[in-house]
Amino acid sequence: MSAYRPPYPVPGVIWASLPLPSLLVNEAGLILEANPAAEAFLNASTRVLTGQPVLDRLAIDAPMEEAMARVRANQAALNINDVDVTSGERAPVQCTLHLAPMHDNPGILLLILSPRELADRLGRSMGAKTAAKSAIGMAEMLAHEIKNPLAGISGAAQLLSMSLSSEDREMTDLIVEETRRIVKLLEQVEQFGNLRPPDRRAANIHDALDRARRSAMVGFGSHMTIVEDYDPSLPPTWADPDQLMQVFLNLIKNASEAAGRPDGGTIRLRTFYDVSLRMRRKDGTPAALPLNVEIIDDGPGLPPDIAGDVFEPFVSGRENGTGLGLALVSKIISDHDGWISVESVPGRTAFRISLPLAPKDKRKDI
Ligand SMILES: Nc1ncnc2c1ncn2[C@@H]1O[C@H](COP(=O)(O)OP(=O)(O)OP(=O)(O)O)[C@@H](O)[C@H]1O
Ligand SMILES: [Mg+2]
């Protein structure tokens, strides 16, 4: 393009052929380098883009300044799920955002935009949420259709077992057991589709966290140590308390399952107030999301091959996982105008949820 040479080594071939729009951003938030995919996305050359504030060139529907500061401070990569990104001249594209520190130069960040895969795979120009919805709609329909014949199969196996020797009965037991497992899975799929719109009211985040913690401690999380690190002055949020509890429960469950050791691990439930966290609504108006909840575990971290897609439905890194837990979390949080992100390295995985305040006149309701 020109004789311009970046003042630091960039692995040229990979950088140039990377199909995803990628930018290097310095400590002041200025673009240092844009790969050809980013030049195409932004409709401008690296030369023009260099030195411009990245957030002027890209309108990103997420609290980017805060996210970049966090990546610099922790020197750990951050994935942000499901955000609208636009260069101002085109319709917003729904992307997963990857922000990573450059380890040899801690002030510089690598920002990669990855347009949502599911929508791509479906080959339609629809947002990921719509794509996910239709994938789930299809799964829901299938779930309903499969449940009926399954009941027949299981009933027939039970009848058959009555005239069998105990040795052969093992087989029919297996049929009954496995059908039960499939039915359970299908019910989960149906539950996802049936999620009602949230009944929002002034809600105490700590109450929802406590309900989730108690439920975890008597069940799937009994092998874990759960530590509370609460800001007791946290004002109420504007949420459906049951759905909020479901969100925390799913996150604590994942953390418990990730520990993968009989002696368990530690889960920290942290809440804090942060006024600096603002995001842009779709209509461009700013919205504050000052109420923050983090569910942090000391397990092995997200499996690298699915780390960017864990919020997609049916993406699972566990043998018996359905991959619906985080998709449900993501849907509920987005229904609440909130924001979710995950930061994960071996030994520390933190899911952070940021929520809005209850309207002033409703806060005394609780
Ligand atoms: N705290 C965590 N630590 C490590 N990996 C995690 C963590 N949370 C989620 N994951 C990974 O993300 C995947 C997707 O999680 P999700 O909750 O959506 O589905 P699942 O747990 O596999 O199935 P389900 O929740 O439907 O039973 C998990 O299978 C796991 O590989
Ligand atoms: Mg799960």
Side-chain angles (χ1 to χ4, degrees):
M1 194 153 283
S2 70
Y4 170 77
R5 287 276 173 279
Y8 35 80
V10 174
V13 183
I14 300 173
W15 183 249
S17 52
L18 205 61
L20 303 173
S22 310
L23 298 159
L24 291 180
V25 179
N26 75 5
E27 208 138 3
L30 306 178
I31 298 174
L32 291 174
E33 184 79 10
N35 76 344
E39 291 182 316
F41 188 88
L42 292 165
N43 199 18
S45 69
T46 274
R47 203 174 6 176
V48 170
L49 292 169
T50 302
Q52 297 206 1
V54 64
L55 298 181
D56 284 359
R57 296 299 308 209
L58 280 176
I60 301 176
D61 177 24
M64 285 304 290
E65 276 169 26
E66 198 269 340
M68 291 196 289
R70 204 145 39 105
V71 173
R72 284 198 188 94
N74 300 344
Q75 286 295 298
L78 180 74
N79 294 310
I80 306 175
N81 178 47
D82 212 8
V83 292
D84 283 335
V85 179
T86 172
S87 63
E89 288 158 25
R90 49 154 75 210
V93 181
Q94 211 147 34
C95 295
T96 297
L97 241 61
H98 308 277
L99 265 175
M102 302 276 279
H103 288 292
D104 50 351
N105 199 333
I108 297 179
L109 295 184
L110 171 64
L111 169 64
I112 302 182
L113 308 176
S114 154
R116 296 281 296 251
E117 252 210 61
L118 194 59
D120 283 358
R121 250 183 275 136
L122 290 179
R124 307 214 185 110
S125 57
M126 55 162 124
K129 278 182 194 145
T130 336
K133 224 184 257 170
S134 78
I136 285 160
M138 206 161 69
E140 223 190 309
M141 203 177 67
L142 268 176
H144 188 77
E145 291 303 316
I146 297 173
K147 259 168 67 183
N148 287 335
L150 274 182
I153 292 172
S154 164
Q158 274 166 333
L159 278 179
L160 199 60
S161 71
M162 290 176 192
S163 55
L164 291 180
S165 67
S166 63
E167 209 172 292
D168 288 341
R169 212 172 290 152
E170 258 177 48
M171 293 303 182
T172 50
D173 285 352
L174 187 75
I175 296 175
V176 173
E177 187 54 37
E178 290 299 289
T179 355
R180 199 170 292 148
R181 209 163 61 89
I182 302 173
V183 169
K184 219 174 112 200
L185 167 73
L186 297 176
E187 277 167 358
Q188 238 167 315
V189 173
E190 283 185 319
Q191 184 207 341
F192 193 105
N194 286 338
L195 190 70
R196 57 186 163 72
D199 176 11
R200 293 174 79 174
R201 60 187 81 168
N204 182 323
I205 289 180
H206 297 142
D207 285 352
L209 271 174
D210 273 342
R211 277 169 64 201
R213 182 184 56 83
R214 268 185 276 130
S215 166
M217 289 312 279
V218 296
F220 57 78
S222 55
H223 60 302
M224 302 296 286
T225 308
I226 302 188
V227 181
E228 289 166 13
D229 180 2
Y230 293 170
D231 170 359
S233 67
L234 209 67
T237 183
W238 189 240
D240 183 320
D242 291 338
Q243 292 193 3
L244 211 52
M245 132 105 176
Q246 182 73 55
V247 162
F248 299 145
L249 203 59
N250 285 10
L251 294 176
I252 296 174
K253 185 151 185 264
N254 281 348
S256 308
E257 285 162 349
R261 306 187 294 250
D263 56 335
T266 301
I267 301 174
R268 200 150 71 89
L269 308 177
R270 175 173 175 238
T271 62
F272 59 101
Y273 194 82
D274 183 356
V275 268
S276 69
L277 195 60
R278 300 192 153 267
M279 66 178 278
R280 222 175 309 197
R281 288 205 195 88
K282 295 215 165 59
D283 61 7
T285 55
L289 299 173
L291 308 176
N292 288 277
V293 184
E294 279 184 344
I295 290 65
I296 307 159
D297 69 68
D298 56 359
L302 296 177
D305 53 331
I306 58 164
D309 299 319
V310 287
F311 294 102
E312 300 268 4
F314 309 117
V315 170
S316 174
R318 295 191 297 113
E319 203 156 309
N320 287 320
T322 58
L324 284 176
L326 286 176
L328 188 68
V329 165
S330 166
K331 179 173 188 329
I332 293 176
I333 294 304
S334 129
D335 285 352
H336 282 82
D337 308 314
W339 192 66
I340 180 160
S341 66
V342 57
E343 226 176 324
S344 180
V345 287
R348 186 179 189 279
T349 298
F351 281 85
R352 185 198 285 199
I353 288 166
S354 306
L355 291 165
L357 285 168
K360 265 207 182 76
D361 55 327
K362 300 281 182 2
R363 281 182 217 166
K364 53 187 177 318
D365 289 357
I366 60 167

